[in-house]
Amino acid sequence: MEGGLIYSGKGYINERLAGLTSFVKSMNISLKISLGICVSFFMILVGILLLLSMCKIIEFLKRIATSQHRLAVHNNNGPFKLAPRKFSAREISLATDYFYDGRIIGRGGKGIVYRGVLQDKSAVSIKKFKPDVPSRIVSKIFVNEVTILSQIKHRHIVRLLGYCADLGGETLVCEFINNGTLYEHIHEKTKGSSTLLFQLRMKIAVEISAALEYLHSSSSTSKNISIVHLNVNSKRILLDNNYTARLANFREAKVIPQDQTQGTLQGLPGYLDPESIKSKKLSAKNDVYSFGVVLVELLTSQRAFCDEKPEGQRDLAQFFARSVEEGRWDQILDGKIIKEENLGTAKKVVDLAKSCLGLQNERPSMREVAMKLEVMAWDYSAAKGVAKLNFSPSPKETDELNGSPSNAQLLQVRREHDESFGRAELYGDSSLQNQIIELV
């Protein structure tokens, strides 16, 4: 080295320039290494995210495939379509304005209900499961409701119109009932018509008892099975503008032997049969108990369970049973509804409700309950000269009786027509009954 110059092998260069060149070369190598590490890390991260997304998509597709496979039942004549219609995700989105919050008409523990409008301008009720509900639970509830609701048809049971199992979550599409729940009309005093008249309450009781009787008896007697709702309460009873009642929400419903089966009761406090809670045995008598609680609600206008009341009065069924036992039943009745002119009929309903809330082996069947309520309603209408509560027979039914029929005759004719209609809808094929049991 001389004069600040160094020999590079190709000639002499400035010493400072040589140092700078060496530094640049080392920096380039470091940058390349750092860039390579960053790119590699980014690619690994993208790969992991893609893998996780693919796993979730595959899981969701499997869930849909399982749901749709279970919704396709094969009988002797080939495929049997359970739901009347399969809606696309686009149809459901458009009907609800893409699940706009302003369309929400109800919220539950596992789902949100929207008021939808289809392309033909018809209003429907659309239930979508909440995103935080585990997929296995969604699939179980979804298939159970579609399986059961699509097999039954009764004037006092909410009708299933279809379903959607596309990407975005399973949804149920049912007929829209536009006048709220029985609970709202009895207990939420902000409603203008919250105080239902006695004869209207009798009408609602008759209609829901008929729906439950249909469920319990709409199976082949040789197979000895029943459809049991297992979640009867005043929030599951919907009313239309004419105050015609519909039983809704079959989330917990099961097809079970008519005697009993193992299972856990789930539902609102105050409506659950205490015997079955302890024994973990389910039967049609669970619905009888829950319906008994609804009868007491109609008589007293009190909630089935209320934390704000003293301990001995929180559970309405227990408080009612004690009051009847002690001869104080008239003191807990709603004085605005139960008056002198209907006190006699109300006492009969009190006795019926008491029997529904009794021990399981002493409770009446829903058929007995429905028959007794219909006779009470007929007798009350005839004695007071009030409206016949939609119990009037059709001209065809009257002609078949060849003359002036008695109340009992009219009830029997209507019952035979209803049962024939219901059984034809539910069991068009002899093998379908077992297929429903296998699906649930």
Side-chain angles (χ1 to χ4, degrees), residues 239-279:
L239 304 176
D240 65 15
N241 281 338
N242 296 319
Y243 293 94
T244 300
R246 307 282 205 292
L247 184 62
N249 198 319
F250 282 69
R251 188 179 71 196
E252 307 295 340
K254 295 183 185 298
V255 182
I256 65 175
Q258 285 185 352
D259 48 6
Q260 57 184 230
T261 190
Q262 289 295 121
T264 302
L265 270 182
Q266 297 181 9
L268 297 179
Y271 295 96
L272 304 181
D273 182 359
E275 279 191 66
S276 289
I277 292 176
K278 293 179 181 178
S279 67

Side-chain angles (χ1 to χ4, degrees), residues 71-73 75 78-87 150-151 163:
L71 289 174
V73 184
N75 59 22
F80 182 86
K81 188 178 181 182
L82 293 179
R85 178 178 171 186
K86 181 181 182 297
F87 290 87
S150 59
Q151 302 303 317
Y163 68 95

